[in-house]
Amino acid sequence: MSVVTLVGNPRSGSRTHEAAVRAAGTLAGRIGHDGPGEVVDLSALAPLLLAPGASAGVEVALEQITEARVLIVASPVYKGSYTGLLKAFLDRLPGGALAGTVALPLLVLGDARHSLAVEVHLRPLLVELGAAVPTPGLALLESQLADLDAHLGPWADRVAPQTAALLAERSVAR
């Protein structure tokens, strides 16, 4: 089983990156995946996403996420939603490209007023791409990042049974 983390923060080494990788690791442990997960960090691909023509790096990244069984999709909240960088990347996928994938949205928020963005903005995009998206997505306030484990554990405990059930269901369907 492959667990892939997609980070849509335009800054390399961001807090979003750290939170997403740790969320993926926490969830992976709960669903019995012990191998290291892959990370697609869009900050490294940003110059290539809007360039004309195909890019091998972008194509490899698209392949990684479409082959994932579990996909953590993370972004900071900019202007009340996920980043344009994440949208530009995911727009390269046709509808249904994430069929067979269990995707979990994660947003890092500066203000609690944006906490619904994970469910209202990012979840529908992932569903449009064909992913199964267990409830709830993870909305982390920047102030919660200092004690990340206290927030990741309860979230993973809630979504791990749904994730495992969806993985089992999709394995049978294959």
Side-chain angles (χ1 to χ4, degrees), residues 13-133:
S14 67
R15 293 175 295 178
T16 302
H17 183 280
E18 179 185 349
V21 169
R22 287 182 53 195
T26 302
L27 179 66
R30 301 284 199 291
I31 60 173
H33 177 69
D34 58 357
E38 298 176 57
V39 178
V40 175
D41 187 347
L42 296 181
S43 67
L45 298 174
L48 306 173
L49 281 173
L50 299 176
S55 159
V58 172
E59 295 306 314
V60 167
L62 289 166
E63 186 176 322
Q64 282 179 289
I65 68 161
T66 57
E67 291 179 357
R69 295 289 315 277
V70 177
L71 179 66
I72 306 290
V73 180
S75 173
V77 171
Y78 285 0
K79 308 287 191 233
S81 189
Y82 49 83
T83 63
L85 179 63
L86 180 61
K87 180 75 164 96
F89 178 75
L90 292 175
D91 277 351
R92 291 181 174 245
L93 296 172
L98 295 180
T101 302
V102 178
L104 297 114
L106 182 159
L107 292 178
V108 175
L109 326 163
D111 191 305
R113 292 179 294 178
H114 296 131
S115 61
L116 285 178
V118 73
E119 302 298 331
V120 174
H121 298 295
L122 190 49
R123 173 186 298 282
L125 174 61
L126 298 172
V127 169
E128 173 66 24
L129 291 171
V133 185

